[in-house]
Amino acid sequence: MAHLLVAGGSLGGLMAANLAARAGHTVTVLERVAGPMTGRGAGIITHPALEEGLRRCGMARDFALGIPVAGRVTLDGEGRELGAMDLPQVLTSWSRLYQLLHGLLPQLPQIEYRQGVAVQSVEQAGDRVRLRTSAGTFEGDLLVAADGIRSAVRQQYWPGVQPEYAGYVAWRGLVDEAVLSRGAHEAIFERFGFCLPPGEQMLGYPVAGPGNGTRPGERSWNFVWYRPAPAPGRLQQLLTDADGVLHAQGIPPNKVSWREVAAMRADGRRLLAPAFAEVVEKCAQPFLQPIHDFISPSIVQGRVALLGDAAFVARPHVGMGVTKAMQDALALADALRDHGATPQALQAYSDQRVPASRAVVLRSRRLGAYMQACGRDGNTAQPRDALAVMAETAIDPDQANFSEETPHERTATQTIA
Ligand SMILES: Cc1cc2nc3c(=O)[nH]c(=O)nc-3n(C[C@H](O)[C@H](O)[C@H](O)COP(=O)(O)OP(=O)(O)OC[C@H]3O[C@@H](n4cnc5c(N)ncnc54)[C@H](O)[C@@H]3O)c2cc1C
C-alpha cells in the first residue's frame, strides 16, 4: 500500500483522503489554516452523486445531509409568484459537510490531518514526491492537490491556468429563520426561491442554522445575489474596504465596506420581491465573492494530481462545486484500485475527469451568459423564462435530460452575439 500526500484539508481533500484510507493507503493531509475551520462558506446545493459518495466515505445510510425542499418558486419584484415547480432537493452548508467528513477521521487512523501547514513547492524524483512546506519536508508516493482555486501546486505546474473573472459578483449571506417575518417565511423559506431583476439573479434556500441545527426554528436561509460588477473599476470598488485597502484576491466578510452593504440593501428594496429584500436587510454580515471559472487542459503531472477547485472551477449556477470534488475523489479512488498508486492511475483519473469537468464549466458559462443578457440595459424584450431558470439552475447535468442547447440558451447566445 502507498503513502499519499494531500494538499488542502477542506471538503475535496477530506473526500480524497477518506477514500484512499478506506482502500488501505496511508495519507497525510496538510491544511494551511490553523485552528477551527468552522464559520467558512455558506449554503451548498447537493446532488444524488454527492450523497452516494458520502456513503462510500462511510456515512450511515440514513445520515442527515441537510434540509430537504420539495420545490422551487420565482417571485417578481412585487412578490407575485411568476412560477413554481416541484423539484425535490437537499440543501446543506459548508460547515455541515465539513462536520460530517471531519467527524469520520477518528474511524481512519491511517489519516494524519495536520493544520497550520502551507504547501510551498513540489519535487518529483523517481517514484517519490517531495513537498516543501512551512513545516518542513514531506515525502510520499503520490500528491493529491486539493488546495483550492488559487492552488500553489497548479501554479507551479500550470502557471498559465488562471481563474477568469466572469464580470459579476455574488453577494451571499445567511439569516436566522427566527428573525424573518411570517410573510417572508411563508413566501420563500421552505422552498428554493428565485427573483430575476434585469441582468441579475437572486436565489436562496434553507440550510442548517448556527450550530448546524436542522429543526424548524433553528435553521437559516442562505441567499446568493449575482450582480454585474465590471472589472477593473466597479470590481475594485467592491473589493476595497472602508479604510481604502484593496483586497484584490478576495475581501474577507468582515471587511466588506458598510457603504457597499448599505447600497446593496437599498437596491434590494428597489429591485427584489419584499421577502428577498427582507432577507438581505436582516442578514447581519453579507459577504461578497467575485465569480471566476477556469478550464484546465490537464490535471496530472507524473505523480501529482489536481482535485476539486484546484483542478476546475465552474460558476456556481450549476451548484456542482462540492459534487464535482466528490466525483473527482471517487474517480481517483477507482483509478488507484485498478492501477495501484502509479502515474498510470493518475492518467486514468485525468482521462475520466477532464472532459466531464470541462462540460460542467461550459454549462455554467451558458447559464451565466443567459442571466447577464436577459433584460440588461433596459432590454426587456428578452424577459427570462422563470420556469426555464428554475428547471436548469443547480441541476447535476448527469441527472437531467437537457438537450445540449435549450431554447432559452439559443436566445441568450443570440442576444449576446
Ligand atoms: C458564490 C458561490 C456559491 C457556491 N455554491 C455552491 C453550491 O451551491 N454547491 C456546491 O457544491 N459548491 C458551491 N460552490 C463551490 C464550493 O464552495 C467549492 O467548489 C468546494 O468547496 C470545493 O472544495 P475544495 O476542497 O476543492 O476547495 P476549497 O474548499 O477551496 O479548499 C481548499 C483548501 O486548501 C487550503 N489551502 C490552500 N492553499 C494551501 C496551501 N498552499 N497549503 C495547504 N493548504 C492550502 C485552503 O485553506 C482550503 O482549506 C460555490 C462557490 C461560490 C463562490
Side-chain angles (χ1 to χ4, degrees):
M1 285 297 154
H3 183 62
L4 270 64
L5 301 172
V6 175
S10 173
L11 303 180
L14 281 170
M15 292 164 184
N18 180 306
L19 292 167
R22 283 181 196 278
H25 303 294
T26 57
V27 187
T28 303
V29 180
L30 303 168
E31 167 55 47
R32 182 173 58 187
V33 172
M37 304 262 287
T38 47
R40 303 167 106 209
I44 298 287
I45 290 156
T46 79
H47 302 288
L50 175 63
E51 208 164 335
E52 205 35 57
L54 286 167
R55 291 206 182 86
R56 258 183 81 180
C57 287
M59 230 64 84
R61 282 231 75 77
D62 59 347
F63 77 102
L65 176 56
I67 310 239
V69 295
R72 300 180 169 195
V73 65
T74 300
L75 303 180
D76 71 8
E78 307 301 318
R80 291 178 296 244
E81 213 170 285
L82 284 178
M85 69 192 316
D86 293 339
L87 210 164
Q89 199 158 25
V90 177
L91 292 324
T92 190
S93 61
W94 190 92
S95 30
R96 172 75 184 143
L97 285 170
Y98 182 78
Q99 180 199 44
L100 288 171
L101 284 161
H102 193 266
L104 292 170
L105 289 179
Q107 294 176 14
L108 298 163
Q110 312 90 307
I111 300 178
E112 183 192 13
Y113 186 81
R114 294 193 50 168
Q115 288 191 244
V117 183
V119 169
Q120 292 161 341
S121 62
V122 192
E123 272 171 44
Q124 300 189 54
D127 53 7
R128 301 291 283 168
V129 179
R130 189 173 301 124
L131 269 188
R132 217 162 49 77
T133 78
S134 57
T137 304
F138 291 79
E139 268 197 34
D141 298 299
L142 298 177
L143 168 66
V144 178
D147 51 346
I149 186 169
R150 311 240 169 237
S151 165
V153 177
R154 193 185 71 243
Q155 310 268 2
Q156 178 180 330
Y157 285 109
W158 295 275
V161 180
Q162 296 291 340
E164 281 175 42
Y165 177 54
Y168 51 96
V169 298
W171 281 96
R172 303 183 73 187
L174 293 166
V175 60
D176 289 356
E177 177 173 14
V179 305
L180 287 179
S181 68
R182 201 179 66 233
H185 198 282
E186 282 172 8
I188 51 176
F189 194 89
E190 301 282 356
R191 293 188 277 185
F192 194 139
F194 293 81
C195 192
L196 308 173
E200 307 192 9
Q201 187 177 92
M202 170 61 128
L203 60 83
Y205 45 84
V207 296
N212 288 320
T214 53
R215 284 193 297 246
E218 295 176 348
R219 303 167 293 181
S220 294
W221 213 72
N222 168 76
F223 74 85
V224 184
W225 186 6
Y226 299 105
R227 310 205 69 195
R234 180 63 185 134
L235 180 63
Q236 282 193 1
Q237 269 173 1
L238 286 168
L239 297 179
T240 300
D241 67 25
D243 299 314
V245 178
L246 172 66
H247 301 263
Q249 296 294 314
I251 185 161
N254 60 345
K255 290 288 178 189
V256 177
S257 162
W258 63 269
R259 287 188 182 83
E260 294 294 351
V261 172
M264 183 271 294
R265 287 184 171 136
D267 287 349
R269 291 194 289 276
R270 195 166 49 83
L271 295 171
L272 300 175
F276 287 101
E278 181 179 329
V279 164
V280 297
E281 195 73 49
K282 288 183 169 171
C283 169
Q285 189 170 71
F287 62 101
L288 190 69
Q289 280 177 298
I291 301 302
H292 290 92
D293 66 15
F294 66 87
I295 288 178
S296 294
S298 139
I299 54 172
V300 165
Q301 173 69 247
R303 292 181 166 269
V304 174
L306 305 176
L307 180 142
D309 278 10
F312 281 85
V313 168
R315 300 186 197 177
H317 314 298
V318 279
M320 280 292 286
V322 176
T323 301
K324 183 170 70 57
M326 177 59 88
Q327 290 169 329
D328 287 351
L330 291 168
L332 181 65
D334 291 347
L336 293 176
R337 181 197 61 212
D338 294 344
H339 303 278
T342 59
Q344 291 72 22
L346 298 192
Q347 196 51 54
Y349 158 75
S350 171
D351 291 347
Q352 185 183 341
R353 293 306 299 153
V354 168
S357 303
R358 187 170 182 280
V360 170
V361 177
L362 293 179
R363 173 152 188 83
S364 73
R365 282 184 185 168
R366 290 200 296 274
L367 291 172
Y370 179 62
M371 172 190 80
Q372 287 173 288
C374 288
R376 194 179 50 185
D377 302 329
N379 167 19
T380 46
Q382 299 288 348
R384 261 169 298 175
D385 175 345
L387 287 177
V389 171
M390 288 190 288
E392 298 186 19
T393 300
I395 302 293
D396 182 345
D398 288 345
Q399 300 291 319
N401 288 321
F402 302 130
S403 61
E404 242 321 279
E405 198 182 22
T406 60
H408 86 265
E409 284 170 0
R410 275 197 294 281
T411 308
T413 313
Q414 283 157 8
T415 311
I416 293 162

